[in-house]
Amino acid sequence: MSGKTASRKTSRPALVPRHVAVVMDGNGRWATRRLLPRTAGHKFGADALKRLVRGCVQQGVQYLTVFAFSSENWKRPVEEVSALMELFVQALQRETPDLAAQGVSLRFLGDREPLNERMRELMIQAESTVVEPTRLRLNVALNYGGRWDIVQAARAAQAAGVDLTEDSLGRYMCLADIPEPDLLIRTGGEHRVSNFLLWQLAYTEFYFSETLWPDFDEQTLAHAIADFARRERRFGRVSDKGAPVDPAGLRVA
């Protein structure tokens, strides 16, 4: 396998994570260091997200889940939250057609009830956009929290009269229909998950970057994937030296 990969013209690693999750951190600090309002950091952060999506398509990642707005972010200043919501609306209006043209389908996870009606309508329109063929599914966590996810799954399972087990509860979690993340990337120099995909990250590999989110680019993504490719994932089992036990969730580049 390594020989075939080395013979290709691209520099992609031999193992590419099928599902990448990203905590996009550092917008505010990026703006503050440049004597700009925090909202400017979020605007430049939107450009970084476009680079991330482009890089994932190029690398062959099949699923991308990004933490856009947590359930705790409502505690931020009202002006900043309002600016973020307006930025989301503008991005949905402007970027959905371009994403579809790239073969990227959109899905949102989180509690939509607190969001305004216009935003909810745009989210439904974006999710219903036909993308053929789909090269990447982009999941945007908006007003999302990992604890909320577990609670909503438990309530749904209880309402269905399901006997709770790990498997049965897992079927009601957000993203239950796709593989769990293989790689979590967090930018901004912080080393925590911040209530993101708590259930789904049980066996995920973590990669922490000092890069502030607006500076994130395809090269940063490539470094994270290359680091991931060097790791041995045993899933609690024993493997032969240097050989991954279970390549599930990985695809050969």
Side-chain angles (χ1 to χ4, degrees):
M1 182 176 65
S2 60
K4 293 181 180 179
T5 303
S7 66
R8 295 188 179 188
K9 294 182 180 180
T10 64
S11 58
R12 293 190 300 174
L15 295 178
V16 177
R18 186 161 54 173
H19 185 177
V20 173
V22 181
V23 178
M24 306 178 292
D25 192 18
N27 290 339
R29 282 173 287 159
W30 184 92
T32 299
R33 292 177 184 179
R34 289 161 176 77
L35 304 180
L36 297 171
R38 288 176 56 86
T39 52
H42 297 309
K43 292 179 180 178
F44 280 94
D47 292 332
L49 177 55
K50 289 192 285 188
R51 293 192 293 268
L52 171 66
V53 169
R54 185 165 58 242
C56 284
V57 171
Q58 293 170 349
Q59 292 275 3
V61 174
Q62 297 177 12
Y63 306 95
L64 171 63
T65 302
V66 297
F67 208 3
F69 190 86
S70 77
S71 51
E72 289 80 19
N73 286 155
W74 295 106
K75 301 174 185 177
R76 294 186 176 188
V78 174
E79 296 80 5
E80 182 175 350
V81 172
S82 298
L84 272 170
M85 293 301 158
E86 180 60 29
L87 182 61
F88 292 147
V89 168
Q90 294 174 3
L92 283 169
Q93 293 173 322
R94 182 177 61 249
E95 303 298 339
T96 299
D98 183 60
L99 289 171
Q102 294 181 67
V104 179
S105 65
L106 269 170
R107 178 178 171 184
F108 298 91
L109 49 146
D111 183 6
R112 303 188 187 191
E113 187 61 30
L115 305 178
N116 65 56
E117 183 177 358
R118 178 56 175 156
M119 186 178 297
R120 294 198 299 268
E121 290 175 352
L122 288 170
M123 291 163 69
I124 292 172
Q125 292 175 16
E127 290 178 323
S128 62
T129 300
V130 177
V131 178
E132 292 182 352
T134 297
R135 302 179 64 189
L136 175 72
R137 189 170 108 179
L138 172 59
N139 307 298
V140 180
L142 190 60
N143 193 30
Y144 172 89
R147 292 176 177 175
W148 167 87
D149 195 358
I150 295 171
V151 170
Q152 68 82 27
R155 287 175 174 168
Q158 184 181 43
V162 173
D163 182 29
L164 285 185
T165 65
E166 285 190 26
D167 288 340
S168 65
L169 182 59
R171 289 195 290 270
Y172 290 91
M173 302 294 299
C174 291
L175 306 181
D177 60 326
I178 66 174
E180 294 179 346
D182 304 297
L183 173 65
L184 170 73
I185 301 171
R186 177 161 188 156
T187 62
E190 303 293 353
H191 294 184
R192 55 179 179 268
V193 297
S194 296
N195 198 22
F196 183 45
L197 301 177
L198 298 181
W199 180 275
Q200 296 88 346
L201 295 178
Y203 283 99
T204 300
E205 298 290 328
F206 288 7
Y207 180 87
F208 298 107
S209 172
E210 296 295 323
T211 301
L212 298 177
W213 178 247
D215 291 327
F216 191 95
D217 58 17
E218 294 92 335
Q219 191 63 36
T220 315
L221 174 66
H223 288 160
I225 291 179
D227 182 83
F228 170 84
R230 292 191 292 268
R231 302 186 189 184
E232 182 182 6
R233 306 184 75 200
R234 295 187 295 274
F235 301 93
R237 293 171 295 201
V238 176
S239 70
D240 294 333
K241 185 177 180 180
V245 168
D246 186 355
L250 310 177
R251 65 186 295 271
V252 177

